[in-house]
Amino acid sequence: MRETHDDVIRAKHLPKVGQSVRSRKYGTPWRVVEKKEVWLNTSDDPKTGACRVMPAIYLCYWRVQDGQQPGIGKMLGYAYSLHDNTFDANWELLN
C-alpha cells in the first residue's frame, strides 16, 4: 500500500495552522502559520534505478514574541514524513 499525505498527518499528530508549539530544546513558543503537502526525494529504486519520492507535510512556524505582529520576525520550516520522528523530538503542542 502506498503512503499518502493523510497517513503522515494521522500518524504524526501534526498541529493545524494557528496552533502553538514549544521548542523542546530552547523552550520558545512558535505558531504554525502554513501547512502544505510536499514530496521528498528518497534513494533510487535499487532494482530499476528510478527516482522515488515519499509524501511529507511541510509546516512553517513563526516565533511568537510579545509586541510583535504575527508573521513579522523569525520563521522556520520543516517537512515531516512517516519515516522520521523529528516533530516529537523537537516540538510539544501547547493548545
Side-chain angles (χ1 to χ4, degrees):
M1 185 169 102
R2 294 199 77 169
E3 300 168 359
T4 67
H5 291 95
D6 290 333
D7 295 336
V8 176
I9 293 170
R10 272 194 300 275
K12 297 297 179 180
H13 306 289
L14 297 174
K16 297 176 178 157
V17 171
Q19 284 188 298
S20 295
V21 295
R22 178 178 295 129
S23 166
R24 290 187 189 274
K25 185 173 183 179
Y26 300 106
T28 53
W30 297 76
R31 185 167 299 133
V32 177
V33 294
E34 181 182 9
K35 183 177 188 176
K36 63 182 174 179
E37 298 175 352
V38 296
W39 294 94
L40 296 178
N41 291 323
T42 63
S43 59
D44 294 342
D45 188 338
K47 293 181 183 178
T48 65
C51 180
R52 296 185 293 180
V53 293
M54 73 172 92
I57 301 297
Y58 173 84
L59 296 179
C60 182
Y61 304 97
W62 164 70
R63 184 169 175 195
V64 178
Q65 293 181 323
D66 291 336
Q68 284 277 27
Q69 293 182 349
I72 297 175
K74 188 166 184 172
M75 297 182 80
L76 298 172
Y78 299 103
Y80 302 101
S81 73
L82 281 176
H83 304 285
D84 67 33
N85 65 348
T86 55
F87 180 78
D88 288 331
N90 295 304
W91 303 100
E92 62 179 318
L93 287 172
L94 293 180
N95 51 7

